[in-house]
Amino acid sequence: MTQPLDELSFETQLVHAGERAGWPTGEPTTTPIYTATTYTYDSMVEVDRVFAGEERGYVYTRYGNPTVAALEEAVRLFEKGAGACAYSSGMAALHAALLACELEPGSVILASQDLYGVTLQLLNTVFAPFGVKVALVDLSERERLWAAARDLRPRAILVETISNPLLKICPIDVCAEVAREVGARLIVDNTFATPYLCQPLELGADFVVHSATKYLSGHADAIGGVVVARDEADLLALRGVVKTVGGVLSVWEAYGILRGLKTLALRMRQHCENARRVAERLASHPLIRRVHYPLLVENERETAARVLRALSGGGLVSIELKDGSREAAFRFMEALRLCVRATSLGDVFTGVLHPATSSHREMSPAQRAKLGISDSLIRISVGIEDVTDIIADLEQALEKSMR
């Protein structure tokens, strides 16, 4: 393609990014799967230059691979960053982004209290034992956010664009302003939003993290993670983590995720439209105590208007049953006929998860209660099926949950 991709629409970029990067003969129309672990050259001078980064090329797949590089370039383009680095999972990617912030004993990570449960584990069981201090803050309380940042002078601020599982929208623009004032690096986990709904680097973030397992792949058949950096200078640290820690993304996974990206815009439009209709329908259901969905809450709508693509609240809906018990939640999930009981999200099918026994099970009941994660909370990753079929399945399961 001769026309620069950054001059084309997002939807067109999704189809062509990472492809036809330049081949000696017979250029393939899609990126091949390069299974080779090593690469050879006629000249040792060339090898030396590639090792040094002075010349484009590959020597060992832990250092780089053409299939993986195609995925990295595609996600870099979508997030409008200086560069991207892929990893074996979303957690490996998040770990790398934190390491790139040059944390040391005494450094502070200021994090949203509404993070994925395993992310909190990473902070408390991997970084804290090495003397890194972790402080949690409610991002909806802006005065406390500012006060905590000015008092603690964090090295890194960690947030999620859309929180897991209560689906709160992060005021990324405000967090970026806070980070700039106190000299912190802002890391945004953009997994739930994807670059289709939000591009955090444009709002002032330093790093964007994706669990590519979710919406980027979209088909429940690949695990991976990606970090996109705003500044090219951060790429050395990000790639250094892959080389030394070894969280290398498989070429097969890279190929699957790159293929999934082609339909991201189409899928996200349907995910979001279906989620809106599910949320609006369930909001008045007599067996539901509360529906968590950004566009149903006034202050969340205001933040979403600044952070997300217009009139979009994402593809997830969380509900709390009026019964309030874990038993009712289990009965509801076991009664589902179409929706799939699955511990992930962002797939083409509708997936349903019970946070208290999955994503946040390592927390104590008191900790979950403090965050608003009740035993009857259920997270629904709304798929791209016909929404009337999704709603019918949810409603029949609700009726059975009360028996």
Side-chain angles (χ1 to χ4, degrees):
M1 177 172 288
T2 56
Q3 184 174 356
L5 276 176
D6 56 11
E7 296 178 2
L8 301 174
S9 69
F10 184 83
E11 288 78 1
T12 302
Q13 291 176 4
L14 285 171
V15 174
H16 293 280
E19 304 292 4
R20 299 172 294 283
W23 306 90
T25 58
E27 186 174 23
T29 57
T30 61
T31 299
I33 302 174
Y34 280 81
T35 58
T37 58
T38 54
Y39 302 80
T40 187
Y41 295 84
D42 293 333
S43 164
M44 285 304 298
V45 173
E46 288 181 273
V47 176
D48 182 51
R49 288 174 178 170
V50 172
F51 258 122
E54 298 170 356
E55 186 174 307
R56 181 184 176 189
Y58 302 93
V59 290
Y60 186 49
T61 282
R62 180 158 53 84
Y63 287 59
N65 173 281
T67 309
V68 176
L71 172 63
E72 292 170 337
E73 172 56 20
V75 180
R76 179 208 68 77
L77 179 69
F78 306 151
E79 287 288 10
K80 299 184 178 180
C85 190
Y87 301 85
S88 56
S89 70
M91 291 309 302
L94 182 58
H95 179 239
L98 286 163
L99 289 177
C101 293
E102 299 179 336
L103 300 171
E104 58 188 14
S107 296
V108 176
I109 300 173
L110 183 62
S112 167
Q113 67 175 12
D114 297 298
L115 292 176
Y116 172 43
V118 182
T119 299
L120 293 172
Q121 280 186 266
L122 173 68
L123 298 178
N124 292 319
T125 65
V126 175
F127 285 97
F130 287 94
V132 175
K133 300 176 182 178
V134 178
L136 303 180
V137 64
D138 185 346
L139 297 180
S140 66
E141 299 178 359
R142 296 190 182 183
E143 291 184 2
R144 290 191 177 184
L145 170 61
W146 279 101
R150 287 166 175 161
D151 179 51
L152 299 172
R153 313 301 292 188
R155 182 71 58 86
I157 297 177
L158 175 60
V159 300
E160 295 171 347
T161 307
I162 304 175
S163 74
N164 183 7
L166 298 180
L167 312 181
K168 299 178 182 179
I169 306 297
C170 173
I172 297 174
D173 49 353
V174 176
C175 292
E177 186 179 353
V178 172
R180 284 194 299 271
E181 179 175 309
V182 301
R185 313 299 301 281
L186 177 59
I187 303 171
V188 178
D189 185 330
N190 201 35
T191 298
F192 279 24
T194 81
Y196 177 76
L197 295 182
C198 179
Q199 294 166 320
L201 299 181
E202 295 281 280
L203 296 172
D206 295 285
F207 299 99
V208 176
V209 177
H210 286 280
S211 173
T213 312
K214 313 304 193 293
Y215 286 111
L216 299 190
S217 171
H219 294 78
D221 58 5
I223 289 181
V226 183
V227 181
V228 184
R230 184 181 62 184
D231 299 324
E232 189 174 356
D234 288 315
L235 290 176
L236 184 62
L238 292 174
R239 297 209 176 279
V241 175
V242 177
K243 294 177 182 179
T244 56
V245 179
V248 181
L249 180 64
S250 159
V251 295
W252 301 96
E253 307 291 276
Y255 176 82
I257 297 165
L258 185 61
R259 180 178 56 186
L261 282 173
K262 309 303 180 190
T263 58
L264 178 64
L266 297 173
R267 289 185 286 108
M268 286 305 295
R269 280 199 288 269
Q270 195 65 46
H271 283 303
C272 294
E273 172 61 17
N274 283 357
R276 180 187 64 80
R277 292 182 61 181
V278 167
E280 291 174 350
R281 179 64 173 261
L282 297 184
S284 59
H285 197 286
L287 298 179
I288 293 179
R289 175 186 300 162
R290 181 178 179 184
V291 173
H292 297 267
Y293 177 70
L295 299 188
L296 296 180
V297 184
E298 184 176 352
N299 65 328
E300 290 291 307
R301 284 199 303 270
E302 294 173 357
T303 306
R306 300 198 319 271
V307 172
L308 302 181
R309 183 180 285 258
L311 303 177
S312 178
L316 292 108
V317 177
S318 292
I319 61 174
E320 293 182 60
L321 302 184
K322 188 160 288 185
D323 178 285
S325 69
R326 177 177 299 191
E327 292 72 23
F330 281 13
R331 287 196 298 270
F332 165 79
M333 295 181 69
E334 290 168 358
L336 293 167
R337 297 171 179 170
L338 172 68
C339 303
V340 181
R341 293 174 291 278
T343 56
S344 191
L345 62 105
D347 298 309
V348 289
F349 56 80
T350 297
V352 182
L353 170 145
H354 185 245
T357 56
S358 55
S359 62
H360 290 71
R361 73 174 296 129
E362 301 303 325
M363 288 184 173
S364 68
Q367 289 174 315
R368 289 196 296 268
K370 182 179 179 180
L371 295 177
I373 301 172
S374 68
D375 281 349
S376 70
L377 181 71
I378 298 161
R379 192 192 71 196
I380 305 168
S381 174
V382 184
I384 64 172
E385 306 98 331
D386 187 312
V387 71
T388 59
D389 292 330
I390 299 172
I391 291 173
D393 191 38
L394 295 173
E395 290 184 333
Q396 66 85 22
L398 284 167
E399 293 297 330
K400 292 181 179 178
S401 73
M402 296 298 106
R403 296 175 184 172

